[in-house]
Amino acid sequence: MTYSKHWQTLYINVNLATMSDGGNSYGEVTQAALAVRDGKIAWLGKESDLPADFSATDSEVVVIDGKGQWLTPGLIDCHTHLVYGGNRANEFEMRLQGRSYQEIANAGGGIVSTVTATRKASEEELLASALPRLAALHQQGVTTVEIKSGYGLDTSNEIKMLKVAGLLADELPVTIKRTFLGAHALPTEYKDNAEGYLDVVCEEMLPQVVNENLADAVDVFCEGIGFSLEQTKRVFDAAQSHNLPIKVHAEQLSNLGASELAANYDALSSDHIEFLDETGIRAMKKAGMTAVLLPGAFYFLRETQLPPIALLRKHQVPMAVATDANPGTSPIHNIHLMLNMACTLFKLTPSEALAGITCHGAKALGMSESKGQLAVGYDADIAVWNIDQPAELCYQFGVNPLSCLIKDGLQVLMHNKK
Ligand code: NIG
Ligand code: FE
């Protein structure tokens, strides 16, 4: 393939996994063509059906022979915490010696230890450490990433994290969605005063985040070691009063009913959900929510409780898949590995797994009208893969089959040139 910087591009001799079938299939179109105009997908279908106005003989159009490769939507990692200071390798060692994630958190480690390191780091240092993490995802075909705050836990440091997340978009051609997660853990200065901390979250942090336009959504860690259902409700009320969509870390280590609560607020997604029950699933379905599966955290914490995949399927709740990249429960910056784990650990079908990081990832971010599918009018965020069939993306990892990455119609990465 040749490198293109043109606004009108026609890809011929390609196969498409359009991901327009909600994960029931890949939405395959073989022997296809796809036309890009002004950063959007202008036409796609069988090459033999190509209309005259997209014809390969039009001199305005740059024609690229895809040589039988596969095109998918650019990948979407809809749940990450990839801006943070320090790392928690010491806690990894402690867990291997038998201490649990909860024990370490209750003893003052866990999220709070990353808070100390994040507060110490300057904006420049946070940006420098986050960039290679984002670059790794981008090299794997990711064109949209969600990044949460939640390691600042005071106003200036939460704002600092969100600003750094925004700055990453100037460094790499990746769409960044930011989520305010002030209610991630109790900072030590508010130990035994959760209500006092939530006053700050709701009455100081959130208004400032909104004023400076630093977040697209609000998230809460609702869990025994996080915030109770009542406390979570307070934050949801505040988010709603600012018209910000809601996401929730829910049912990860126990079932507190956070998914059902989030459904009352028409939340975008409930994430983790290993302990989610059918009542919660029904509520999520009714509210049009997406279930975000995080196999990296399940694996890294050696969890045994599987998320209720069969029930999610039964109630047709869309399942997204994400890395949850973070220093405590998923220091894994590999979206291909998530595809593999979603299949091997959670028994998703390969087309469901791929939907999890395309159309359903977009839905979890409220972007299902513009991203996550190859469809006319959608953003031309497209990954080109040197593979024979889409299931290969889930089947192997470690050799990167990405051949080319297109963002808003422009080729921004080329490797494994075919
Ligand atoms: O998604 N569950 C809460 N938050 C993160 C973990 C954060 C951490 O341990 O640093 C998660 O798993
Ligand atoms: Fe998370």
Side-chain angles (χ1 to χ4, degrees), residues 79-81 148 181 184 219 249 271-272 294 324 326 329:
H79 180 142
T80 85
H81 309 245
K148 300 174 197 295
L181 177 57
H184 194 196
D219 195 341
H249 280 70
D271 303 32
H272 284 289
L294 304 169
D324 194 17
N326 78 75
T329 66

Side-chain angles (χ1 to χ4, degrees), residues 12 21 26 72 116 125 170 174 177 210 230 234 257 267 296 298 308 363 375 389 403-404:
I12 56 165
D21 186 26
Y26 299 108
T72 68
T116 307
E125 286 165 339
D170 301 334
V174 177
K177 295 289 266 189
V210 170
E230 261 318 296
R234 265 193 80 183
F298 174 89
K363 189 161 160 49
Q389 52 186 324
S403 153
C404 168

Side-chain angles (χ1 to χ4, degrees), residues 94-291:
M94 285 160 76
R95 284 200 297 108
L96 289 169
Q97 285 156 10
R99 307 275 301 277
S100 74
Y101 179 66
Q102 287 98 316
E103 274 167 12
I104 293 169
N106 289 331
I111 293 172
V112 165
S113 67
T114 298
V115 170
T116 307
T118 304
R119 286 180 178 178
K120 271 197 198 128
S122 65
E123 261 186 40
E124 294 69 29
E125 286 165 339
L126 285 178
L127 185 64
S129 62
L131 194 53
R133 299 175 194 135
L134 182 65
L137 293 170
H138 178 58
Q139 297 273 336
Q140 295 154 17
V142 170
T143 49
T144 299
V145 172
E146 184 255 19
I147 302 176
K148 300 174 197 295
S149 67
Y151 292 122
L153 306 189
D154 63 25
T155 305
S156 63
N157 283 297
E158 284 294 300
I159 300 266
K160 176 175 76 178
M161 286 190 72
L162 291 168
K163 282 193 174 152
V164 169
L167 289 172
L168 284 166
D170 301 334
E171 304 288 327
L172 284 170
V174 177
T175 297
I176 308 277
K177 295 289 266 189
R178 293 177 289 186
T179 301
F180 171 59
L181 177 57
H184 194 196
L186 262 192
T188 38
E189 60 274 23
Y190 281 93
K191 197 170 180 297
D192 305 322
N193 184 12
E195 295 305 325
Y197 178 63
L198 291 178
D199 289 344
V200 179
V201 169
C202 298
E203 286 155 33
E204 189 181 304
M205 292 186 200
L206 189 54
Q208 201 167 325
V209 165
V210 170
N211 258 343
E212 296 187 35
N213 203 10
L214 292 173
D216 307 290
V218 173
D219 195 341
V220 178
F221 183 26
C222 184
E223 188 57 68
I225 56 167
F227 293 89
S228 71
L229 206 57
E230 261 318 296
Q231 292 164 345
T232 300
K233 188 170 180 310
R234 265 193 80 183
V235 182
F236 287 176
D237 283 332
Q240 199 172 51
S241 75
H242 289 285
N243 293 320
L244 275 178
I246 285 164
K247 303 172 77 66
V248 64
H249 280 70
E251 278 65 90
Q252 179 185 12
L253 308 166
S254 61
N255 186 340
L256 298 187
S259 302
E260 202 179 343
L261 176 70
N264 293 336
Y265 291 80
D266 293 326
L268 284 173
S269 70
S270 183
D271 303 32
H272 284 289
I273 56 163
E274 279 82 350
F275 287 82
L276 179 64
D277 61 17
E278 192 159 10
T279 311
I281 292 176
R282 283 184 205 280
M284 285 176 66
K285 173 66 186 173
K286 206 161 154 221
M289 287 170 67
T290 299

